[in-house]
Amino acid sequence: SEGQYNLFSDTASARMARSFAAATLLAVDHYNNRDWSVVPEIASIDESCSVYFTPPIFIDSEATSESAVAALFERSVRNHLEPPCAVLAPLLEEASLDIVPAADALDIPILSYFAENHELVTKSGVVGVSLSPDGRAHAMTTYEPLRNRKYLAVWHQDNEQESVPAEAI
């Protein structure tokens, strides 16, 4: 069907973004309807709770920094619409890093998934869902089944990564 849920491409990242969009819509729907079939804790929400989520707005960043920033600017400034309460960062770190100044200027927090970049997940206004490299290393070395391993490996995208000094772990 035509509309905001059609992504421009069928790349792996576009398919993943479409999956996140579907999961977001399902989560909002379940919470708003107090449907506890997936998350049993929803059943314990007090009946007097008046918190509900508005339907999310999805904008295809086309996996580029320029498109992500332009889409946020177009939505929030040029169209004089209410700015979003939060931004789900683009999947690619470069695009995520480039949207931070625009979101900061509009005072919009960013939720970042798959952030491997320490600089991204430690910026103010950015909430990292995955761990930064030092957080991931710490989690791996304190996880009991892995504690006595001699070597540990982390696979990541083929993009710039930074080293974390051993004393930071």
Side-chain angles (χ1 to χ4, degrees):
S1 69
E2 293 298 317
Q4 69 170 333
Y5 309 115
N6 284 353
L7 299 177
F8 298 129
S9 63
D10 196 34
T11 63
S13 61
R15 286 191 303 274
M16 192 177 303
R18 197 168 30 252
S19 176
F20 281 166
T24 301
L25 289 171
L26 179 65
V28 167
D29 183 63
H30 277 219
Y31 181 84
N32 287 346
N33 293 310
R34 306 304 195 245
D35 179 345
W36 53 270
S37 62
V38 176
V39 180
E41 291 81 2
I42 290 177
S44 65
I45 295 174
D46 188 285
E47 290 179 20
S48 65
C49 177
S50 62
V51 175
Y52 290 89
F53 294 103
T54 58
I57 296 169
F58 298 100
I59 300 170
D60 187 359
S61 68
E62 300 175 38
T64 69
S65 302
E66 296 81 11
S67 295
V69 173
L72 181 61
F73 178 79
E74 185 75 27
R75 166 86 174 75
S76 302
V77 179
R78 186 166 295 152
N79 291 337
H80 305 291
L81 297 174
E82 186 75 27
C85 61
V87 169
L88 179 61
L91 290 176
L92 300 178
E93 286 182 2
E94 181 184 333
S96 294
L97 282 167
D98 288 347
I99 204 169
V100 168
D104 278 350
L106 296 168
D107 199 25
I108 302 170
I110 297 175
L111 182 61
S112 176
Y113 281 85
F114 297 116
E116 297 283 338
N117 188 305
H118 181 74
E119 182 183 345
L120 179 63
V121 295
T122 57
K123 286 186 174 289
S124 66
V126 177
V127 177
V129 174
S130 60
L131 295 172
S132 64
D134 54 338
R136 184 176 308 223
H138 178 73
M140 288 172 65
T141 57
T142 58
Y143 181 56
E144 186 62 40
L146 298 178
R147 190 173 292 163
N148 296 321
R149 294 261 179 146
K150 187 172 182 179
Y151 301 102
L152 297 172
V154 177
W155 280 265
H156 54 81
Q157 290 178 334
D158 185 20
N159 59 5
E160 265 189 51
Q161 301 291 315
E162 69 279 349
S163 298
V164 177
E167 58 271 8
I169 299 174

